[in-house]
Amino acid sequence: MAKKQVSTDDLIAVIIQGIEDVKGEDIQLLDLREIENTVCDYFIICSGNSNTQVNAIAGSIQKVVSKQTKDKPWHVEGQANSEWVLMDYVNVVVHVFQKHIRDFYDIESLWGDAKITEIKSA
Protein backbone atom coordinates (compact mmCIF):
# COMPACT_ATOMS: atom_id res chain seq x y z
CA MET A 1 0.00 0.00 0.00
CA ALA A 2 1.45 3.37 -1.05
CA LYS A 3 1.92 6.03 1.58
CA LYS A 4 -0.35 9.05 1.13
CA GLN A 5 1.65 12.12 0.16
CA VAL A 6 1.34 14.92 2.72
CA SER A 7 1.32 18.50 1.45
CA THR A 8 4.13 20.78 2.55
CA ASP A 9 1.59 23.18 4.10
CA ASP A 10 0.11 20.35 6.17
CA LEU A 11 3.57 19.21 7.27
CA ILE A 12 4.47 22.77 8.35
CA ALA A 13 1.24 23.08 10.36
CA VAL A 14 1.86 19.76 12.13
CA ILE A 15 5.50 20.66 12.90
CA ILE A 16 4.40 23.99 14.39
CA GLN A 17 1.79 22.17 16.47
CA GLY A 18 4.55 19.86 17.78
CA ILE A 19 6.64 22.89 18.75
CA GLU A 20 3.74 24.64 20.47
CA ASP A 21 2.73 21.49 22.37
CA VAL A 22 5.90 21.79 24.50
CA LYS A 23 6.06 25.61 24.61
CA GLY A 24 8.74 26.16 21.97
CA GLU A 25 9.36 29.89 21.60
CA ASP A 26 10.04 32.48 18.90
CA ILE A 27 8.83 30.30 15.99
CA GLN A 28 9.74 31.60 12.55
CA LEU A 29 9.00 30.19 9.10
CA LEU A 30 11.54 31.08 6.41
CA ASP A 31 10.29 30.65 2.83
CA LEU A 32 13.36 29.82 0.73
CA ARG A 33 11.56 29.01 -2.53
CA GLU A 34 12.56 32.29 -4.25
CA ILE A 35 16.25 31.84 -3.42
CA GLU A 36 18.43 29.95 -5.89
CA ASN A 37 20.30 26.77 -4.95
CA THR A 38 18.64 26.13 -1.60
CA VAL A 39 18.54 22.65 -0.11
CA CYS A 40 14.86 22.85 0.85
CA ASP A 41 11.75 25.03 0.47
CA TYR A 42 11.30 26.07 4.11
CA PHE A 43 13.16 26.43 7.38
CA ILE A 44 11.23 26.39 10.64
CA ILE A 45 13.26 27.89 13.48
CA CYS A 46 12.36 27.89 17.17
CA SER A 47 13.97 28.17 20.59
CA GLY A 48 13.95 26.27 23.84
CA ASN A 49 15.30 27.35 27.22
CA SER A 50 17.42 24.29 28.07
CA ASN A 51 18.83 21.02 26.71
CA THR A 52 15.79 19.28 28.17
CA GLN A 53 13.31 21.57 26.42
CA VAL A 54 15.17 21.45 23.09
CA ASN A 55 15.08 17.65 23.30
CA ALA A 56 11.39 17.74 24.25
CA ILE A 57 10.57 19.99 21.28
CA ALA A 58 12.41 17.69 18.86
CA GLY A 59 10.69 14.65 20.36
CA SER A 60 7.28 16.33 20.21
CA ILE A 61 7.76 17.25 16.54
CA GLN A 62 8.72 13.67 15.66
CA LYS A 63 5.79 12.23 17.64
CA VAL A 64 3.14 14.58 16.27
CA VAL A 65 4.37 14.36 12.66
CA SER A 66 4.57 10.57 12.85
CA LYS A 67 1.11 10.27 14.39
CA GLN A 68 -0.68 12.69 12.04
CA THR A 69 1.17 12.18 8.74
CA LYS A 70 2.91 8.79 9.17
CA ASP A 71 6.09 10.62 8.11
CA LYS A 72 9.45 10.68 9.84
CA PRO A 73 12.50 12.88 9.39
CA TRP A 74 14.96 11.85 6.74
CA HIS A 75 17.78 12.85 9.07
CA VAL A 76 18.19 14.27 12.60
CA GLU A 77 21.37 15.83 14.00
CA GLY A 78 22.37 17.37 17.31
CA GLN A 79 20.32 15.36 19.80
CA ALA A 80 23.45 14.28 21.67
CA ASN A 81 24.05 17.75 23.16
CA SER A 82 20.62 19.31 22.47
CA GLU A 83 21.92 22.81 21.82
CA TRP A 84 20.91 22.83 18.14
CA VAL A 85 18.80 19.99 16.80
CA LEU A 86 18.31 19.89 13.04
CA MET A 87 15.48 17.79 11.66
CA ASP A 88 15.35 17.22 7.89
CA TYR A 89 11.91 16.50 6.45
CA VAL A 90 13.31 16.99 2.89
CA ASN A 91 11.24 20.06 1.79
CA VAL A 92 11.12 21.41 5.35
CA VAL A 93 14.14 21.63 7.66
CA VAL A 94 13.48 22.33 11.34
CA HIS A 95 16.08 24.04 13.57
CA VAL A 96 15.49 23.79 17.32
CA PHE A 97 17.95 25.99 19.21
CA GLN A 98 18.79 26.97 22.72
CA LYS A 99 18.43 30.77 22.77
CA HIS A 100 22.15 31.60 23.12
CA ILE A 101 23.11 29.22 20.32
CA ARG A 102 20.41 30.71 18.07
CA ASP A 103 21.70 34.21 18.81
CA PHE A 104 25.28 33.14 18.05
CA TYR A 105 24.55 31.51 14.66
CA ASP A 106 21.78 33.97 13.67
CA ILE A 107 20.69 31.92 10.67
CA GLU A 108 17.77 34.26 10.07
CA SER A 109 20.33 36.88 9.00
CA LEU A 110 22.29 34.37 6.93
CA TRP A 111 19.08 33.68 4.99
CA GLY A 112 18.09 37.36 4.94
CA ASP A 113 16.65 37.08 1.40
CA ALA A 114 14.04 34.61 2.63
CA LYS A 115 10.47 35.68 3.33
CA ILE A 116 10.20 35.38 7.13
CA THR A 117 6.87 34.76 8.83
CA GLU A 118 6.70 34.99 12.61
CA ILE A 119 4.36 32.37 14.06
CA LYS A 120 2.35 33.69 17.01
CA SER A 121 1.64 30.99 19.58
CA ALA A 122 -1.99 30.41 20.37
Side-chain angles (χ1 to χ4, degrees):
M1 183 188 235
K3 187 172 89 168
K4 182 178 152 254
Q5 194 64 21
V6 177
S7 79
T8 301
D9 289 344
D10 289 343
L11 177 61
I12 289 169
V14 173
I15 289 169
I16 290 170
Q17 178 190 337
I19 294 168
E20 290 176 335
D21 283 354
V22 287
K23 310 283 191 257
E25 299 174 355
D26 195 14
I27 305 167
Q28 295 193 330
L29 175 66
L30 279 64
D31 184 341
L32 308 173
R33 293 175 295 177
E34 300 293 319
I35 302 172
E36 286 185 38
N37 302 320
T38 57
V39 295
C40 64
D41 292 340
Y42 295 94
F43 280 168
I44 298 175
I45 304 169
C46 69
S47 300
N49 293 309
S50 65
N51 297 31
T52 304
Q53 188 181 20
V54 166
N55 230 5
I57 293 167
S60 176
I61 293 167
Q62 285 186 18
K63 187 171 107 189
V64 172
V65 169
S66 175
K67 187 175 183 181
Q68 293 190 25
T69 71
K70 307 294 186 248
D71 202 0
K72 60 182 181 196
W74 181 70
H75 187 71
V76 178
E77 275 184 42
Q79 285 185 303
N81 65 5
S82 299
E83 291 184 338
W84 175 2
V85 176
L86 181 141
M87 305 170 73
D88 186 349
Y89 283 94
V90 185
N91 286 338
V92 180
V93 174
V94 184
H95 299 269
V96 184
F97 287 100
Q98 284 190 42
K99 283 182 172 50
H100 68 285
I101 301 295
R102 182 175 180 173
D103 291 343
F104 179 80
Y105 286 103
D106 193 18
I107 63 175
E108 292 95 334
S109 291
L110 291 175
W111 293 93
D113 293 344
K115 179 177 175 259
I116 299 177
T117 305
E118 197 162 319
I119 308 297
K120 297 290 183 200
S121 294

